[in-house]
Amino acid sequence: MKNAAVFRLAMAHPGDLSELERLIASGTVRPAEVAAVIGKTEGNGGVNDFTRGYFTQTLMGLLSKHLRRPAERLIREIPCVLSGGTEGVMSPHYIVLCIGEHEGVPAQGPALAIGTAFSEPVPPENVGRRAHIDSVADAVRKAVAAAGIERPDDVHFVQVKCPCVTVARAEAAIAAGRVPLTSDPNKSMAYARAAGALGVGLGLGEIKPDGFGDASFLSDFSIQSPRASISSGVEVESNEVIVLGNSPHWSGPLRIAHRPMGDALDIGAVVDVLSDLGIAAAPQVAVHDAARIAAVLVKCEPDRRGRIRGNRHTMLDDTDINAQRHVRGAVAGLVAGVIGDGRIFVSGGAEHQGPDGGGLIAVIASQEQGRA
Amino acid sequence: MKNAAVFRLAMAHPGDLSELERLIASGTVRPAEVAAVIGKTEGNGGVNDFTRGYFTQTLMGLLSKHLRRPAERLIREIPCVLSGGTEGVMSPHYIVLCIGEHEGVPAQGPALAIGTAFSEPVPPENVGRRAHIDSVADAVRKAVAAAGIERPDDVHFVQVKCPCVTVARAEAAIAAGRVPLTSDPNKSMAYARAAGALGVGLGLGEIKPDGFGDASFLSDFSIQSPRASISSGVEVESNEVIVLGNSPHWSGPLRIAHRPMGDALDIGAVVDVLSDLGIAAAPQVAVHDAARIAAVLVKCEPDRRGRIRGNRHTMLDDTDINAQRHVRGAVAGLVAGVIGDGRIFVSGGAEHQGPDGGGLIAVIASQEQGRA
Amino acid sequence: MKNAAVFRLAMAHPGDLSELERLIASGTVRPAEVAAVIGKTEGNGGVNDFTRGYFTQTLMGLLSKHLRRPAERLIREIPCVLSGGTEGVMSPHYIVLCIGEHEGVPAQGPALAIGTAFSEPVPPENVGRRAHIDSVADAVRKAVAAAGIERPDDVHFVQVKCPCVTVARAEAAIAAGRVPLTSDPNKSMAYARAAGALGVGLGLGEIKPDGFGDASFLSDFSIQSPRASISSGVEVESNEVIVLGNSPHWSGPLRIAHRPMGDALDIGAVVDVLSDLGIAAAPQVAVHDAARIAAVLVKCEPDRRGRIRGNRHTMLDDTDINAQRHVRGAVAGLVAGVIGDGRIFVSGGAEHQGPDGGGLIAVIASQEQGRA
Amino acid sequence: MKNAAVFRLAMAHPGDLSELERLIASGTVRPAEVAAVIGKTEGNGGVNDFTRGYFTQTLMGLLSKHLRRPAERLIREIPCVLSGGTEGVMSPHYIVLCIGEHEGVPAQGPALAIGTAFSEPVPPENVGRRAHIDSVADAVRKAVAAAGIERPDDVHFVQVKCPCVTVARAEAAIAAGRVPLTSDPNKSMAYARAAGALGVGLGLGEIKPDGFGDASFLSDFSIQSPRASISSGVEVESNEVIVLGNSPHWSGPLRIAHRPMGDALDIGAVVDVLSDLGIAAAPQVAVHDAARIAAVLVKCEPDRRGRIRGNRHTMLDDTDINAQRHVRGAVAGLVAGVIGDGRIFVSGGAEHQGPDGGGLIAVIASQEQGRA
């Protein structure tokens, strides 16, 4: 019987993995059981956010030392998905997802299940195109199978990290006679996230293969997956996939739920997803219940129509602060206020991920107070 | 019997007063009854935020045209307090506070009361010093008297706009042999806000004249006023004061309440202040109740100790985004989520204004659904 | 005989026209002779830069007062072209271009000539399209005729301010069934600048009407005008054109020259344009020669290929600072260093304006030391 | 006979040391000869710039692999001084300083000499105080001795990296009953840089031990060293010192010169320092001479009085872009324009380093065209 464990750890800076080191030293975490890491680092979340690469290098160096395997290999086996930008009340932290085997533990109903997969590298000219989408969908199917989740409804969160172009990569591709969709890195990140979202929808069967065309891409936002969370960055070349759901084949106290968010003010979705896990927020989660929460995962988006519930917002017109930084800070303020805790993963760029102008929220919590 | 009316109006840009123009044209607002304006403009909220001056120039030009009095005079009579920065979900808007006289209207219990006052100009070398505090306190007492509020407890919100130094003003003062506290404009804004807050506390009797010294200034944050909201900017030279409270001598459906906020996650304070006004938020204010809300006024602060409820935040260490922009975006996300509306006034820089690391919230609402 | 005068004036903030007020009060500037204003304000130079509107409102109010004509009329007659962003060593300032008539003054060879024109308003859906280009070209031809410049080679600088879409304007157009090129304001500004540049080239005969198509737009940057300087902003609805050149029909000590800049390191172009005007820079303009300089006008661009002379730059990959702010600061540092003065107009966004990755520089100076 | 070699290498991102790896692989660089590294990374140059830590971790990992010694040891022996911020035309790059022994090479007059030293760790409460200054001065003397430079005039550049406080470190110190000068990291970086500069002046004998007191610190900027270049960052705990000069005991084609810069427009200093090395710039260094240049090292500062040559600048009043980012971009634009190359090290924060409001420039070049 497989068993998922989730550790939410603080960092003093993007190269600080000392809390994980301590858990390994104490025997609480066994390095070979680390299946994936999801984290918020304190970069700007944009193309020139190197906190993600710094964290990843440090993590892989640490695991390499303990597992006595080269970091270059581990980085192709253990998805490490980081979202830069801890605007406002967010606290830099990372979530270590571990898969253990516990013989003799009786199943007690469905429990948190984890599956991961890597695609082949995506060449710059494919970023944001159909080939990219198909590549993500394949990896999602593999990860669902690896998690042993049988019913598609039991998948609650699919995190994908997609590669994008930089100016340099785009120039190299063009020099080689290939045509990227764009040479603008910020635009490429959006294309990559969109491809990832449609790939998740395709992989989970939410979206049909003929349900969208080139014209719907970054345009018809009614085509979306409320369980897809896509990051994009310069530091990866393959799609990295983490599937989280509930499965009767797994044991342990943890369970996951998710809800779409209708817009950046959708506090109801936050309260509802907590309620799905038996946690009340009236208006804030009580301290003893907060201790049951192992991870909060949110995607959001500055409404591209320039208004939220009829009122003009200024996120898209700001030359000083990137729109994604704006919306992450606002939505994190809302979610952290309900949870009473700034250790939440809020990531921007929710194209085709949940309702247009909104996004989604997933929460992992233990049934009773447990380790988290 | 005096009567307070509050109009919350949208703007397309900081020089757009067309909604007020329309209300004047239709006779809904009588220019002579405009007592004060409070607004959020879409600047950066810092020293080089000129959206405040732009709005003020436009407002005074508009009123000058209708009142046939010079704008230079009106600007010394009608407080126009703007806070720059509509980070995240906030929507640029302004609140027009009007005082009317309605003979024959019977008093129906306490109603919203408005009083205003201007101090003498504050010379650069006095900014942030005891003379500045005393100057604010005097103006607060005058405004309370003007509002006809008899019990100090009936004052719920005191908005003050304080002048600060710019590099140029500081240089001029130094050249004249006078010594400003600082030549750093960002620092001066903090000093000015602190002086304003202590001035409000002194004026309302919350803080005793001998209850603080130079050493407690910007240092002992247990000395604070939970009803003071201070802005600071380069565009004013005097302290401008707006006092809002409830008074049996005023009529009309509007009433005001306030609550201190313990920290940037204090969703409880938001729910409580609404409850004080008979409005439920479970978790969000219902649409028909939201229509009763005429103004939401919030002060907040990035916790200077670097942590919120034990978790590290990164607002103070960010070289790219000013810490006040960070916290405004986060707290506005929380408050707007509860209210269901981005037209909220959230201002940073809450030194000595409410609990350390937190701030305060005030809400004006009508008793039953009315004009707002 | 017409006579051009140029006044370069400092401002303390974007609403500060006190230096012009003083010159009017002293009789040095006659309000009716003000033909155009070009300035650098201390905003961010992006879509949400309201310092341009603030300055314009203040200028038109000032002239309205003196000319006793409504500001709404003057704004459609006197081009006021502002570029936001005084990054680095640039000093906020504005250049007042005046046209006087001086009977009996003998012509002394060619002198600075000024012509202006306004196009019809450009609807949002036309921004950046052929109709926009044609509209600019027509206005340029009118302004050249107004300046009385007969030889196209005697035109040295054409400043155009083009309207762009905001999210709100784009939404309104779409709601009305019209299709703007983009709803992204930053992108729209680039389209508008490109249309302006091609319009200038077309109007001056540098570019043939069939010399470009939709495919060359923002793509084939070999199609360019080395005399076009285009700004774009939300605060105008028509194209505003200022043509500067030398004409035998004008008198006075001022003369203008220009040079294309090959890239952001092209110090040679700066030295050469000064040399064209008889001013040495070895390495810096001497103080007595600097006093002859009346205006320095520069356009520049972050090289979209990501490299300058083979070395990678990071301007296009920066999520924190807009690329135009980066390049303005750098090129202004270079030009101000050669001139020895920070009162230079350096504007970004040089699409189709001078060589790809570079831009252009124009300088106005008096033949001998004179008023400037 | 010792021999200094300097390699100027490009990086694709802050964790990219592939060019050094290639030079090691080809035998051009021997890992044991690497004495120090100075570089510009593409972070923001502020407290939350983690590109410096990322680069350092990667460098030490690389050297550790080749030298078969732990990275934790190497980091205390090989100064790695990085300045974040490649604003404008600057290109991210690093300079590897190597010390070789070449027996039998005859001395040919003075050549570039390199010396390094590390101080003890500086506790947070000492940052920016006299103890910090003395600690730097001692390390400078050790590094001069290590370089074998006998005449103080032959020292041309002293690079020091000083630790500063973060909010977290300051809180820890306060909790332990110790009093840091400030808890504000940006302010702490300024204190640390000032301490470093006075320490260099003290160590080189430019400043007398009794030549300054607490009152002159960050106040009397006439006390300065025109050869001190100080960086500060969260990633170091000790002062790291690199001394560069010319010595008759060293051989090879490289030589170093320096000049103070009077202000941010001092192009004369740039031309003069090149002239000291026999390189003409009229106005730009010719391509064949540019190939002789091995390193360009600049310190600069936004004039704290708010004006440059009488004209107001806006760097200190900008809430959106840090003043150091502004000035680095401007001065780099000037220097890169003269050199014709963006691979220059321009670092802000020049308190007590060169003239007030200016800074300094040092250049390393080979006598004839050589390896660089």
Side-chain angles (χ1 to χ4, degrees):
Chain A
M1 179 73 55
K2 278 184 183 167
N3 173 281
V6 176
F7 301 90
R8 183 164 56 172
L9 306 177
M11 57 181 128
H13 60 77
D16 172 33
L17 273 289
S18 57
E19 290 217 8
L20 178 57
E21 181 80 72
R22 255 193 300 279
L23 290 184
I24 291 174
S26 71
T28 308
V29 167
R30 288 163 56 177
E33 295 183 353
V34 174
V37 171
I38 298 177
K40 280 301 300 181
T41 53
E42 58 200 285
N44 61 27
V47 172
N48 66 327
D49 183 348
F50 303 102
T51 61
R52 299 176 298 225
Y54 186 16
F55 180 96
T56 304
Q57 175 174 288
T58 311
L59 172 68
M60 296 303 165
L62 174 67
L63 293 177
S64 172
K65 189 180 69 176
H66 288 288
L67 294 171
R68 298 181 183 280
R69 296 184 56 214
E72 304 84 73
R73 294 285 291 279
L74 296 176
I75 209 168
R76 293 168 201 280
E77 297 174 12
I78 302 169
C80 176
V81 180
L82 302 163
S83 162
T86 53
E87 292 81 10
V89 298
M90 269 187 283
S91 189
H93 71 287
Y94 55 106
I95 294 151
V96 182
L97 299 159
C98 296
I99 303 178
E101 292 278 350
H102 295 276
E103 291 185 31
V105 177
Q108 301 158 310
L112 178 67
I114 303 168
T116 65
F118 281 70
S119 77
E120 293 295 303
V122 180
E125 66 273 17
N126 280 5
V127 167
R129 297 193 197 269
R130 182 73 192 220
H132 193 174
I133 295 171
D134 290 337
S135 149
V136 171
D138 280 349
V140 168
R141 287 183 204 107
K142 275 180 206 157
V144 171
I149 301 175
E150 284 159 19
R151 300 193 326 162
D153 282 3
D154 285 337
V155 174
H156 286 275
F157 191 74
V158 182
Q159 177 66 52
V160 185
K161 182 88 176 200
C162 292
C164 68
V165 308
T166 57
V167 172
R169 279 187 200 167
E171 289 297 317
I174 290 166
R178 301 186 301 255
V179 184
L181 266 177
T182 177
S183 296
D184 177 337
N186 277 300
K187 208 161 175 194
S188 177
M189 290 177 85
Y191 282 123
R193 288 190 302 257
L198 298 181
V200 170
L202 201 57
L204 295 181
E206 295 171 321
I207 303 173
K208 297 266 179 288
D210 58 356
F212 61 96
D214 285 354
S216 39
F217 205 74
L218 280 177
S219 166
D220 180 354
F221 290 102
S222 69
I223 304 172
Q224 49 93 1
S225 166
R227 296 177 280 180
S229 166
I230 319 295
S231 291
S232 178
V234 298
E235 67 279 14
V236 294
E237 297 194 347
S238 302
N239 303 297
E240 306 184 7
V241 176
I242 306 168
V243 163
L244 301 177
N246 298 316
S247 165
H249 305 305
W250 290 60
S251 68
L254 295 171
R255 201 153 58 89
I256 184 169
H258 84 279
R259 290 274 180 155
M261 291 184 75
D263 61 20
L265 303 180
D266 189 0
I267 191 173
V270 185
V271 171
D272 288 347
V273 72
L274 291 167
S275 173
D276 292 346
L277 295 164
I279 295 175
Q284 196 169 69
V285 173
V287 170
H288 65 274
D289 279 334
R292 290 170 47 194
I293 296 175
V296 178
L297 305 156
V298 178
K299 286 296 286 190
C300 58
E301 181 80 352
D303 197 298
R304 70 198 157 74
R305 293 154 297 193
R307 290 183 179 271
I308 300 174
R309 302 194 187 179
N311 295 312
R312 181 171 72 97
H313 70 78
T314 62
M315 295 185 266
L316 299 170
D317 279 352
D318 192 340
T319 300
D320 298 312
I321 298 182
N322 183 273
Q324 304 295 347
R325 304 203 72 175
H326 268 295
V327 80
R328 278 195 302 260
V331 172
L334 175 60
V335 175
V338 174
I339 307 280
D341 194 316
R343 293 172 300 163
I344 58 180
F345 175 95
V346 178
S347 171
E351 304 88 346
H352 301 289
Q353 301 151 61
D356 192 14
L360 55 95
I361 180 167
V363 175
I364 301 173
S366 57
Q367 295 294 76
E368 69 277 20
Q369 186 159 347
R371 71 172 181 178
Chain B
M1 179 72 59
K2 279 186 183 164
N3 174 281
V6 176
F7 301 91
R8 183 165 56 174
L9 307 176
M11 55 181 130
H13 60 77
D16 171 34
L17 274 287
S18 57
E19 290 217 8
L20 178 57
E21 181 79 73
R22 255 193 299 278
L23 290 184
I24 291 173
S26 70
T28 308
V29 166
R30 288 163 57 177
E33 295 183 354
V34 173
V37 172
I38 299 177
K40 280 301 302 180
T41 52
E42 58 201 285
N44 62 27
V47 173
N48 66 326
D49 183 348
F50 303 102
T51 61
R52 299 177 299 224
Y54 186 17
F55 180 97
T56 303
Q57 175 173 288
T58 311
L59 172 69
M60 297 304 165
L62 174 67
L63 293 177
S64 172
K65 190 180 69 179
H66 288 288
L67 295 171
R68 299 181 183 280
R69 298 184 56 213
E72 306 82 76
R73 293 285 291 277
L74 296 176
I75 209 170
R76 293 169 202 280
E77 297 173 12
I78 301 169
C80 177
V81 181
L82 302 163
S83 163
T86 54
E87 292 81 10
V89 298
M90 269 186 284
S91 188
H93 70 288
Y94 56 106
I95 295 150
V96 182
L97 299 159
C98 296
I99 303 178
E101 292 278 350
H102 294 277
E103 291 183 31
V105 177
Q108 300 160 308
L112 179 67
I114 302 169
T116 64
F118 281 70
S119 77
E120 294 295 302
V122 180
E125 66 273 17
N126 280 5
V127 167
R129 297 192 198 268
R130 182 73 190 218
H132 194 174
I133 295 171
D134 290 338
S135 151
V136 170
D138 279 350
V140 168
R141 288 184 203 104
K142 277 180 205 155
V144 171
I149 301 174
E150 285 159 17
R151 301 192 324 162
D153 282 3
D154 284 337
V155 174
H156 285 276
F157 191 73
V158 182
Q159 176 67 51
V160 186
K161 183 88 175 199
C162 292
C164 67
V165 307
T166 56
V167 171
R169 278 186 200 169
E171 290 296 317
I174 290 166
R178 300 186 301 255
V179 185
L181 265 177
T182 177
S183 297
D184 176 338
N186 276 300
K187 208 162 175 194
S188 177
M189 291 177 85
Y191 281 122
R193 288 190 301 256
L198 298 182
V200 170
L202 200 57
L204 295 181
E206 296 171 320
I207 303 174
K208 298 265 178 286
D210 57 356
F212 61 96
D214 286 353
S216 37
F217 205 73
L218 281 178
S219 164
D220 180 355
F221 290 102
S222 68
I223 305 173
Q224 50 93 359
S225 166
R227 295 177 282 179
S229 166
I230 319 295
S231 290
S232 178
V234 299
E235 69 278 13
V236 295
E237 297 192 349
S238 302
N239 303 298
E240 307 184 7
V241 175
I242 305 167
V243 162
L244 302 177
N246 298 315
S247 165
H249 306 303
W250 291 60
S251 69
L254 295 171
R255 201 153 58 88
I256 185 169
H258 84 278
R259 289 275 180 155
M261 291 184 75
D263 61 21
L265 303 180
D266 189 1
I267 192 173
V270 185
V271 171
D272 287 347
V273 73
L274 291 166
S275 172
D276 291 346
L277 296 163
I279 295 174
Q284 195 169 70
V285 173
V287 170
H288 65 275
D289 279 333
R292 289 170 49 195
I293 296 175
V296 179
L297 305 155
V298 179
K299 285 296 287 191
C300 57
E301 180 80 352
D303 197 296
R304 70 197 156 76
R305 293 155 296 195
R307 290 182 178 271
I308 301 174
R309 302 195 186 178
N311 295 312
R312 182 171 71 98
H313 69 78
T314 62
M315 296 186 265
L316 298 170
D317 279 352
D318 193 340
T319 299
D320 298 310
I321 299 182
N322 184 273
Q324 305 295 346
R325 303 204 73 176
H326 267 295
V327 78
R328 277 195 303 260
V331 172
L334 174 61
V335 176
V338 174
I339 308 280
D341 195 316
R343 295 172 300 162
I344 58 179
F345 174 94
V346 178
S347 172
E351 305 88 347
H352 300 290
Q353 301 152 61
D356 191 15
L360 55 94
I361 180 166
V363 175
I364 301 173
S366 57
Q367 295 294 75
E368 69 278 19
Q369 185 158 350
R371 70 172 181 178
Chain C
M1 180 73 58
K2 278 186 182 163
N3 173 281
V6 176
F7 302 90
R8 184 165 55 174
L9 306 177
M11 55 181 127
H13 60 77
D16 171 34
L17 274 287
S18 57
E19 290 218 8
L20 178 57
E21 182 79 74
R22 255 193 298 279
L23 290 184
I24 291 173
S26 70
T28 307
V29 167
R30 290 163 56 176
E33 294 183 354
V34 174
V37 172
I38 298 177
K40 279 301 301 179
T41 53
E42 58 201 284
N44 62 27
V47 173
N48 66 326
D49 183 348
F50 303 102
T51 60
R52 299 176 299 224
Y54 186 16
F55 180 97
T56 303
Q57 175 173 288
T58 312
L59 172 69
M60 297 303 166
L62 174 67
L63 293 177
S64 173
K65 189 180 70 176
H66 288 288
L67 295 171
R68 299 181 183 281
R69 298 183 54 214
E72 306 82 74
R73 294 286 290 278
L74 296 176
I75 209 169
R76 294 169 200 281
E77 297 174 13
I78 301 168
C80 177
V81 180
L82 301 163
S83 163
T86 54
E87 293 80 11
V89 298
M90 269 188 282
S91 188
H93 70 287
Y94 56 106
I95 294 150
V96 182
L97 298 158
C98 295
I99 303 178
E101 292 277 350
H102 295 276
E103 292 184 27
V105 176
Q108 299 160 309
L112 179 67
I114 302 168
T116 65
F118 281 71
S119 78
E120 294 295 302
V122 180
E125 66 273 18
N126 280 5
V127 167
R129 297 193 198 268
R130 183 72 191 218
H132 194 174
I133 295 170
D134 290 337
S135 151
V136 171
D138 280 349
V140 168
R141 288 183 204 106
K142 277 180 204 154
V144 171
I149 300 175
E150 286 159 17
R151 301 193 323 164
D153 281 4
D154 284 336
V155 174
H156 286 275
F157 191 72
V158 182
Q159 177 67 53
V160 186
K161 183 88 175 199
C162 292
C164 67
V165 307
T166 56
V167 171
R169 279 188 200 169
E171 290 296 317
I174 290 166
R178 301 185 303 255
V179 184
L181 266 177
T182 177
S183 297
D184 176 338
N186 276 302
K187 207 161 176 196
S188 177
M189 291 176 85
Y191 282 122
R193 288 190 302 256
L198 298 181
V200 170
L202 200 58
L204 296 181
E206 295 171 323
I207 302 173
K208 298 267 179 284
D210 58 356
F212 61 96
D214 285 353
S216 38
F217 206 73
L218 280 178
S219 164
D220 180 356
F221 291 101
S222 69
I223 305 173
Q224 49 94 0
S225 165
R227 295 176 283 179
S229 165
I230 319 296
S231 291
S232 178
V234 298
E235 68 279 14
V236 296
E237 297 193 348
S238 303
N239 303 297
E240 307 184 7
V241 175
I242 306 167
V243 162
L244 301 177
N246 299 315
S247 164
H249 305 305
W250 290 60
S251 69
L254 294 171
R255 201 153 58 87
I256 185 169
H258 84 278
R259 290 274 181 156
M261 290 184 75
D263 61 21
L265 303 180
D266 190 1
I267 192 174
V270 185
V271 172
D272 288 347
V273 73
L274 291 167
S275 173
D276 292 346
L277 295 163
I279 295 174
Q284 195 169 69
V285 173
V287 171
H288 65 275
D289 280 333
R292 290 170 49 194
I293 296 174
V296 178
L297 304 156
V298 179
K299 286 296 286 191
C300 57
E301 180 79 354
D303 197 296
R304 70 196 157 77
R305 292 155 297 195
R307 291 183 177 271
I308 301 174
R309 302 195 186 178
N311 295 313
R312 181 171 72 97
H313 70 77
T314 61
M315 296 186 264
L316 299 170
D317 279 351
D318 193 341
T319 299
D320 299 310
I321 299 182
N322 183 273
Q324 305 295 346
R325 303 203 74 176
H326 268 295
V327 79
R328 279 195 302 261
V331 172
L334 175 61
V335 175
V338 174
I339 307 282
D341 195 316
R343 294 173 299 163
I344 58 179
F345 175 94
V346 178
S347 172
E351 304 88 347
H352 300 290
Q353 302 152 61
D356 191 15
L360 55 95
I361 180 167
V363 175
I364 302 173
S366 58
Q367 295 294 77
E368 68 277 19
Q369 185 159 351
R371 68 171 182 180
Chain D
M1 179 74 55
K2 278 185 182 164
N3 173 282
V6 176
F7 301 90
R8 184 165 55 174
L9 306 177
M11 57 181 128
H13 60 77
D16 172 33
L17 275 286
S18 57
E19 291 217 8
L20 178 57
E21 181 80 73
R22 255 193 299 280
L23 291 184
I24 291 174
S26 70
T28 308
V29 167
R30 288 163 57 176
E33 294 183 353
V34 174
V37 171
I38 298 176
K40 280 301 300 180
T41 53
E42 58 201 281
N44 61 26
V47 172
N48 66 327
D49 183 349
F50 303 102
T51 60
R52 299 176 299 224
Y54 186 16
F55 180 96
T56 303
Q57 175 172 288
T58 311
L59 172 69
M60 297 303 166
L62 174 66
L63 293 177
S64 172
K65 189 180 68 176
H66 288 289
L67 295 171
R68 299 180 182 281
R69 297 184 54 213
E72 305 84 74
R73 294 285 290 279
L74 296 176
I75 210 168
R76 293 169 201 279
E77 296 173 12
I78 301 169
C80 176
V81 180
L82 301 163
S83 163
T86 54
E87 293 81 11
V89 297
M90 269 187 282
S91 188
H93 71 287
Y94 55 107
I95 294 151
V96 182
L97 299 158
C98 296
I99 303 178
E101 292 278 350
H102 296 276
E103 289 184 30
V105 177
Q108 300 160 308
L112 178 67
I114 302 168
T116 64
F118 281 70
S119 77
E120 295 294 303
V122 180
E125 66 273 17
N126 280 6
V127 167
R129 297 193 197 269
R130 182 73 192 220
H132 194 173
I133 295 171
D134 290 336
S135 150
V136 171
D138 280 349
V140 168
R141 287 183 204 107
K142 277 180 205 156
V144 171
I149 301 174
E150 284 158 17
R151 301 193 326 164
D153 282 5
D154 284 337
V155 174
H156 285 275
F157 191 74
V158 182
Q159 176 67 53
V160 185
K161 183 87 176 201
C162 292
C164 68
V165 307
T166 56
V167 172
R169 278 187 201 169
E171 289 297 317
I174 290 166
R178 301 186 300 254
V179 185
L181 265 177
T182 178
S183 297
D184 177 337
N186 277 301
K187 209 162 175 197
S188 177
M189 290 177 86
Y191 281 122
R193 288 190 301 257
L198 297 182
V200 170
L202 200 57
L204 296 181
E206 296 170 321
I207 302 173
K208 298 267 178 286
D210 58 356
F212 61 96
D214 285 354
S216 38
F217 206 73
L218 280 178
S219 165
D220 180 355
F221 289 103
S222 69
I223 305 173
Q224 49 93 2
S225 166
R227 296 177 280 180
S229 166
I230 319 294
S231 291
S232 178
V234 298
E235 68 279 14
V236 295
E237 298 193 346
S238 303
N239 303 296
E240 307 184 6
V241 176
I242 306 168
V243 162
L244 301 177
N246 298 315
S247 165
H249 305 305
W250 291 60
S251 69
L254 296 170
R255 201 153 59 89
I256 184 169
H258 84 280
R259 290 274 181 156
M261 291 184 75
D263 61 20
L265 303 180
D266 190 0
I267 192 174
V270 185
V271 171
D272 288 348
V273 72
L274 291 167
S275 172
D276 292 346
L277 295 164
I279 295 174
Q284 195 169 70
V285 173
V287 170
H288 65 274
D289 279 334
R292 289 170 49 195
I293 296 175
V296 178
L297 304 156
V298 179
K299 286 296 286 191
C300 57
E301 180 78 353
D303 197 297
R304 70 196 157 77
R305 292 154 298 194
R307 290 182 179 271
I308 301 174
R309 301 192 187 181
N311 295 313
R312 182 171 71 97
H313 70 78
T314 62
M315 296 185 266
L316 298 171
D317 279 352
D318 193 340
T319 300
D320 298 311
I321 299 182
N322 183 273
Q324 305 295 348
R325 303 204 73 175
H326 268 294
V327 78
R328 277 195 303 259
V331 171
L334 175 60
V335 175
V338 174
I339 307 280
D341 193 316
R343 294 172 301 163
I344 59 179
F345 175 94
V346 178
S347 172
E351 304 89 347
H352 302 289
Q353 301 153 61
D356 191 14
L360 55 94
I361 180 168
V363 175
I364 302 173
S366 56
Q367 295 294 76
E368 69 276 19
Q369 185 157 349
R371 68 171 183 179

